Amino acid sequence: MSQDLLDSLPAPWRFAVAYAPVATRERWLTMLALDVRLAGVVRGAREPILAQMRLAWWRDRLRDSADKWPRGEPLLAALSCWDGGHGALMGLVDGWEALLGEAPLPVAAFEAWIEGRVAACAALGEGADSMARGWALGDLAAHLGDAQEQAAVADMIEAHGWRAVRLPRKMRPLVVLHGLAARTKGRQGAENISLFTLLRLGMLGI
């Protein structure tokens, strides 16, 4: 596992990755690291067109086969662990592109972003759409600054069914991420959740 990629993740995400089985850990790590990278593109660009160009570069790479990838990009090289299935991550690119624009963004933009995460999780295991949506909603709400956007996503959180379902062991990172989101629902403070709660989510999935 690449320590640099792991270090690029928020602390709760690093914790979640630690509970992935060895066989799928690299895929979880690279999916989350790509999400972080794309977030940086959108949040750090001064002009939307520059962000769109960089997102287009990632979209093109995910559309290509791995043998066509340029060298020198560690994250891109790490995505080879998807064994040709990396195209399933293009939804993340589309989702982040939907968030480009002036606030307040429409609900349709948030839905596109959420669907990108849901699709990425679906590529890792079936039956997890609702929990992936919950994770996305909680994470989205925690990073919004515009009052109208916050209100819109709060309504989406209220309408979402937060019931956790039993998932196979390979989806344990999502169980952790959904569990944290269900407990905070967009409020800051995932870092303050008790160690016992974190361990129970990671070890038992509840």
Side-chain angles (χ1 to χ4, degrees), residues 88-100:
L89 302 179
M90 278 196 287
L92 291 177
V93 181
D94 296 338
W96 278 107
E97 187 169 25
L99 296 190
L100 289 171

Side-chain angles (χ1 to χ4, degrees), residues 17-188:
V17 168
Y19 281 95
V22 173
T24 57
R25 191 171 298 159
E26 290 291 337
R27 291 192 178 191
W28 275 105
L29 172 61
T30 51
M31 185 271 281
L32 294 172
L34 176 62
D35 194 75
V36 168
R37 179 72 65 86
L38 299 174
V41 169
V42 171
R43 293 170 181 157
R46 295 181 180 180
E47 298 291 338
I49 188 63
L50 298 178
Q52 287 176 327
M53 291 173 63
R54 295 178 66 187
L55 292 173
W57 185 89
W58 278 105
R59 185 182 292 110
D60 289 344
R61 301 294 77 75
L62 293 173
R63 187 178 290 119
D64 287 342
S65 58
D67 61 345
K68 296 181 180 179
W69 288 346
R71 297 183 180 181
E73 169 51 71
L75 175 53
L76 191 60
L79 286 166
S80 62
C81 71
W82 282 76
D83 297 325
H86 51 267
L89 302 179
M90 278 196 287
L92 291 177
V93 181
D94 296 338
W96 278 107
E97 187 169 25
L99 296 190
L100 289 171
E102 296 293 329
L105 292 170
V107 169
F110 300 138
E111 288 289 356
W113 181 83
I114 290 167
E115 285 307 309
R117 284 217 176 156
V118 170
C121 289
L124 288 157
E126 298 179 354
D129 287 9
S130 179
M131 291 177 68
R133 181 177 175 84
W135 164 47
L137 278 168
D139 193 39
L140 178 63
H143 292 92
L144 294 177
D146 181 83
Q148 291 186 48
E149 292 180 346
Q150 290 173 342
V153 174
D155 289 342
M156 296 167 73
I157 286 175
E158 182 67 24
H160 179 64
W162 287 91
R163 184 177 66 88
V165 297
R166 285 284 182 184
L167 294 176
R169 185 73 175 81
K170 65 181 179 180
M171 299 301 288
R172 188 58 54 84
L174 179 59
V175 173
V176 173
L177 294 169
H178 173 269
L180 294 174
R183 286 161 174 77
T184 59
K185 291 186 173 65
R187 301 183 301 274
Q188 297 292 339

